[in-house]
Amino acid sequence: MPKKKAPPAGKEPPFSAKKPPARKARTPAARPSFPIVGIGASAGGLETLETLFKAMPPDSGIGFVLVVHLDRTHVSMLPELLQKYTPMPVRQVEDGMLVEPNHVYVIPPNKDLTIVHGTLHLTELVEPRGAKLPIDSFFRSLAQDQGTSASGIILSGTGTDGTLGVKAIKSSVGMVMVQSEETAKYGGMPRSAIATGVVDYVLAPDQMPEQLIRYTRHATGEAAPRVVPPDGPLPAALQKIFAVLRARNQHDFSLYKKNTVCRRIERRMNVHQIDDIAGYVRYLQESDREADALFKELLIGVTNFFRDPEAFRVLQDEALPAILEAKPNDYSVRIWVPGCASGEEAYSVAILLDEGMERLGHRHAVQIFGTDLDPDAIAVARTGTYPASITADVEAKRLERYFAEQDDGKYRVIKRIREMIVFAQQNVITDPPFTTLDLICCRNLLIYLEPELQERLLRTFHYALKSDGVLFLGSSETIGASSKLFHTVHRKWRIFRRKPSTRTEIPVHVPMPSEPYKGRDLAAPRAVQRAEELSALQLAEVILQQSDAPPCAIINDALDVVYIHGRTGRFLEPAEGKVSVNILAMARAGLRNELADAIGHVAADKQEKVLRGLRVEHNGGHVVVDVSVRPVLTPMTIHGLMMVVFEERPASSEMSAVKKVRAKGIEELEQELHRSRQSLQNTIEELETSNEEFRSANEELQSTNEELQSTNEEMETSKEELQSLNEESVTVNAELQARIDELSETTDDMKNLLDSTDIATLFLDTEMRIRRFTPSVTKIISLTAADIGRPIHHFASALIDTDLTGLGQQVLDDLIVREAEVEGENDRLFTLRVRPYRTVMNVIDGVVMTFTDETARRRAEQELRESEALHRLLFENASVGIGYYTTDGKIIAANTLAGTHLGLTTDLVPGKTLPAVLGTEAAKVFHDRILEAAQSGNTRVSEDQVAGSGGRRSIVSTIAVLQDPDMKSGGVLVVTADKDDSKAGAVETT
């Protein structure tokens, strides 16, 4: 890498960090005030680390902790190697070492590393490095220890170590940086980290230092951005952010906890180095990509398998048995996991449920609904595929039983568990809930919501659960004010059981407000009314007390007495029975009917009404009174107040008036008065009877109204249930459509695979009926697509004396693979293999027959045998001796005449040398000539005298080296002939 030019004198590099101020000694329990960055690397990481630290200024003010995959059996030389590329001190970690700024710390071999309060701790590595993932382990502890100050960098490496760690850092509002795949020697770790969707920067190693320093300087400096001032109200810009997110993603975050929302907005501002909230709002409005990134960050979709293992153990031991026990075999267990993120929690519950059913010996239908707002997370959950780093959270037995390892090293949840769960996108706040549930597992969702929204969700959960349903919350969550809805099953791990209610509680699902909730005083109108009423009465009291007004009473529009002035006992008295302040009920005899008529007139036309000479019964006699009813009209009054004034007449004037009236015929008038009173009494009784009937009718109407209200509530409940069922149907349809698409794709792949092969393959079911066949089968058995489903014995084949049905039945009976050669028409030969057809559930569901055409091979073998026989005949009957030897003189083949020429009475034995067979001087000479020819590669012709059974004879020999490209190795050919033979001169070298 070329050296960088030094900056001009008096200037610093553009991204160089100034030296941090002198720091006070830090105790182990104190949290460091500088950023700590964890770096994870594996294969191919050394070159990347060299590039990274070459570009890293020595005065960045950052502490670096390097976790790499090291050979556990060798001493690491990594600190010495890195020290050559950075002026910062590079040390190998020792137990209890404090992290300091501008230092690099390297994990030692065969150790696990954690950090607590800025202090590094080492533990022995018990398991192999492949099962115990050191980068994930350290990143998780770094996120827990440093919180928002934590940063993680993933560099070149194979596997998926670090994937869960970057999620943990993101959950703590830290920063994640990953090396770009094109610059990584091994892209496994970077690819897996990028796939989580939580990465902030994807850069080349030489670009990382500049961006890292900019981020840490912006996030930890004195001018670090703050969305909400320490002592100020929520800014209007925050409402604009909520509005942008709602318009983009149809979700309102205004009732999420403000601290959580603000911290994550501030982190996004740090990522883009934006100093003020108004600037970030502008950037958010201009960038849909940033709106999506902020939306995902606010959803906080970080989870893992069996999060809080002790909590899941308590759920398995105490809650699930109560759900499964004493249930009939046809019982369907229904579970809802809202906010399931990428599905780990839903699969954890499914695994616990499967284990519980096996332990109890029960098998029930299981339907688990996993819902979340994030469509990308739902897509991951549906595939059920997770990185190898889940081995840190899933026990080995569960991993082996419930997961299948794929070729790329990832793990996929087995089909049986995947089919238990339906994943769908849903807004738990506004969408209808699922109903008749046995368990709701909602962990670490409520902690991000305001209390008002928490209470509303808990009411929703109470409504969705069965009478004995279980609610499973996160360890930091509580039911708060909703304790009247749930019993506590386990206080520490937040497991609750629904309290039964006398009537169905229908949760109210209304859209969230566009502005933060502001409490409204619903009693304000009534309070105002009460204040105005008191003001009017006080005014009337002052007026009456300051005047010589006669006795009177002030009544409201309900005819209730609200104020009395003077002595009104001669005209009004409490009625028998239930205490009432109604003026008509209190009016004495002779006053009630006329007073009621007068009050009605005054209420209608707001004019005073005067009644004169009314005779009112009192103490066995009568008093004469003038009654005035007038409205109370003052500027401070409210509608309906009236004043009833009583003015009693003197008794003398009355007697005089009565005498004048009764001067002529007092007795007739008394009789007429008696008849009138009798008639009036009858009228009153009839009126009371009518009133009684009216009251009965009114009660019946009220009862009918209550029944209608009850019916309306039942209809509302049915509507909610129908909405829930519709939601479930939509969810199930979406899941089924996804599976149909996957099945269609698999079917297409299988069809193309079968069509492309030349091997005739026939699939039969257990009844020997045709299920499927490849096109090559039609050359043997005349089949068409319409023949699927018909028995195979219905068809004639081109095979001779072959019972396909019998062979298939034998394989079904003993499950032994059978193979045989069968003949066909036109001298064709096939190799027939019959094997059982096994489903993915290891169930035998038929047989598979393959027909391999061996006709061409058989013909080639026959031709080869004929050719070999012909050449053997020519070889043995040749008029010259022919011998073929290896380059080291061993006999490969020789005819009889070759041995005769050398004086041998028997055949030459292949694999031996001539001296070993003959033991003569001539044999040794021929052997040496063969070796010489093999070494030189030249042809040699010689004449020798050889002693044989018929005496000495002259032999002419030709020795030549053969090099045939079709032969694996060369050889030496020896041709011998008698000198006197007329053909000897014709021997030529070939």
Side-chain angles (χ1 to χ4, degrees), residues 143 147-148 165-174 176 198 260 263-264 297 300-303 307 448:
T148 57
V166 299
K167 287 185 176 181
I169 291 176
K170 192 71 170 184
S171 178
S172 298
V173 202
V176 176
V198 302
T260 300
R263 281 193 296 116
R264 295 185 179 273
E297 187 146 334
I300 319 171
V302 178
T303 184
R307 192 174 187 178
Y448 301 112

Side-chain angles (χ1 to χ4, degrees), residues 554-773:
I554 296 178
I555 61 175
N556 57 20
D557 53 0
L559 306 188
D560 292 333
V561 178
V562 296
Y563 184 80
I564 293 177
H565 173 72
R567 304 181 66 178
T568 59
R570 295 167 65 85
F571 321 108
L572 304 175
E573 66 175 351
E576 293 183 1
K578 186 178 179 180
V579 177
S580 173
V581 293
N582 186 283
I583 193 169
L584 297 181
M586 297 172 64
R588 291 181 180 272
L591 180 62
R592 183 180 299 115
N593 295 332
E594 291 80 358
L595 182 59
D597 184 65
I599 291 174
H601 282 85
V602 173
D605 55 22
K606 299 297 185 293
Q607 299 292 325
E608 181 180 3
K609 179 71 173 180
V610 179
L611 304 175
R612 301 187 182 276
L614 298 180
R615 292 171 54 84
V616 181
E617 294 182 1
H618 178 65
N619 291 337
H622 295 83
V623 295
V624 180
V625 62
D626 293 338
V627 179
S628 300
V629 182
R630 67 189 66 163
V632 180
L633 301 176
T634 62
M636 294 297 295
T637 189
I638 62 173
H639 176 74
L641 288 185
M642 289 177 283
M643 180 181 295
V644 180
V645 181
F646 304 96
E647 297 186 51
E648 186 177 353
R649 288 187 181 183
S652 58
S653 61
E654 172 59 19
M655 291 301 296
S656 176
V658 172
K659 289 179 180 180
K660 292 179 180 180
V661 173
R662 296 180 178 178
K664 297 178 180 179
I666 189 171
E667 294 180 1
E668 293 82 355
L669 292 177
E670 286 179 350
Q671 292 175 0
E672 184 179 353
L673 178 61
H674 178 73
R675 289 193 298 270
S676 298
R677 286 180 176 177
Q678 188 67 36
S679 177
L680 179 61
Q681 184 64 33
N682 293 334
T683 303
I684 292 173
E685 290 177 358
E686 292 176 359
L687 179 61
E688 289 178 349
T689 302
S690 300
N691 288 338
E692 188 68 27
E693 292 176 355
F694 284 140
R695 281 195 294 269
S696 299
N698 185 48
E699 290 176 357
E700 291 179 2
L701 290 174
Q702 289 179 345
S703 177
T704 303
N705 185 45
E706 291 176 357
E707 291 178 1
L708 289 174
Q709 289 178 345
S710 177
T711 303
N712 184 51
E713 291 179 357
E714 292 176 0
M715 292 180 64
E716 288 290 338
T717 303
S718 300
K719 179 182 177 182
E720 285 287 335
E721 292 176 353
L722 288 175
Q723 287 178 335
S724 298
L725 291 175
N726 183 56
E727 184 74 18
E728 291 182 22
S729 299
V730 172
T731 300
V732 172
N733 287 338
E735 182 73 13
L736 288 176
Q737 185 60 48
R739 293 182 180 178
I740 288 172
D741 294 341
E742 181 180 355
L743 180 60
S744 298
E745 183 178 351
T746 304
T747 303
D748 292 341
D749 294 342
M750 181 62 67
K751 182 179 182 301
N752 282 277
L753 174 63
L754 294 176
D755 291 346
S756 64
T757 180
D758 291 332
I759 300 176
T761 306
L762 178 64
F763 299 87
L764 305 177
D765 62 13
T766 55
E767 302 296 328
M768 297 296 112
R769 292 190 295 259
I770 299 171
R771 306 173 59 141
R772 186 190 297 271
F773 58 88

Side-chain angles (χ1 to χ4, degrees), residues 85 108 318 324 326 421 442 539 550 664 715 745 823 981-982:
Y85 301 99
E318 299 185 18
L324 298 175
I421 310 175
C442 181
L539 179 61
K664 297 178 180 179
M715 292 180 64
E745 183 178 351
E823 294 185 358
D981 194 335
S982 61

Side-chain angles (χ1 to χ4, degrees), residues 118-321:
T119 302
L120 300 174
H121 297 276
L122 296 173
T123 56
E124 291 293 333
L125 186 65
V126 179
E127 301 179 25
R129 188 65 90 185
K132 191 75 172 179
L133 304 171
I135 301 175
D136 276 333
S137 177
F138 178 73
F139 277 18
R140 284 179 170 182
S141 69
L142 179 66
Q144 185 176 4
D145 185 61
Q146 298 299 304
T148 57
S149 299
S151 297
I153 299 177
I154 296 294
L155 302 177
S156 172
T158 59
T160 60
D161 193 9
T163 300
L164 298 181
V166 299
K167 287 185 176 181
I169 291 176
K170 192 71 170 184
S171 178
S172 298
V173 202
M175 186 274 292
V176 176
M177 185 179 292
V178 175
Q179 182 180 359
S180 57
E181 287 188 60
E182 58 270 16
T183 63
K185 190 174 182 180
Y186 297 92
M189 284 169 45
R191 186 183 309 112
S192 180
I194 294 171
T196 62
V198 302
V199 176
D200 297 301
Y201 306 105
V202 179
L203 301 170
D206 57 346
Q207 298 172 340
M208 289 182 174
E210 179 178 0
Q211 189 61 63
L212 177 64
I213 292 173
R214 286 178 177 173
Y215 174 83
T216 54
R217 180 188 299 174
H218 197 269
T220 60
E222 295 180 358
R226 292 188 63 87
V227 175
V228 180
D231 55 352
L234 290 177
L238 190 60
Q239 299 301 325
K240 295 180 181 178
I241 292 177
F242 292 154
V244 172
L245 293 177
R246 186 170 61 250
R248 174 72 176 169
N249 304 101
Q250 290 77 48
H251 185 65
D252 197 334
F253 289 94
S254 60
L255 284 183
Y256 279 52
K257 286 188 176 177
K258 299 305 179 291
N259 288 340
T260 300
V261 173
C262 292
R263 281 193 296 116
R264 295 185 179 273
I265 292 175
E266 290 167 0
R267 207 197 70 81
R268 296 303 303 172
M269 294 169 65
N270 288 328
V271 168
H272 298 291
Q273 285 86 55
I274 297 176
D275 294 325
D276 62 285
I277 184 66
Y280 183 71
V281 170
R282 289 193 299 272
Y283 178 68
L284 192 67
Q285 292 171 334
E286 297 169 357
S287 173
D288 291 341
R289 183 176 180 180
E290 177 61 21
D292 293 338
L294 179 60
F295 174 73
K296 286 183 176 293
E297 187 146 334
L298 291 177
L299 291 182
I300 319 171
V302 178
T303 184
N304 52 271
F305 284 97
F306 301 101
R307 192 174 187 178
D308 297 328
E310 181 64 20
F312 277 92
R313 187 193 65 77
V314 173
L315 178 70
Q316 184 179 33
D317 295 343
E318 299 185 18
L320 290 183

Side-chain angles (χ1 to χ4, degrees), residues 945-971:
Q945 295 291 321
V946 180
S949 59
R952 300 184 66 83
R953 59 200 304 176
S954 296
I955 301 299
V956 178
S957 62
T958 302
I959 301 176
V961 178
L962 301 181
Q963 292 291 345
D964 192 333
D966 295 332
M967 300 177 64
K968 293 183 179 179
S969 61

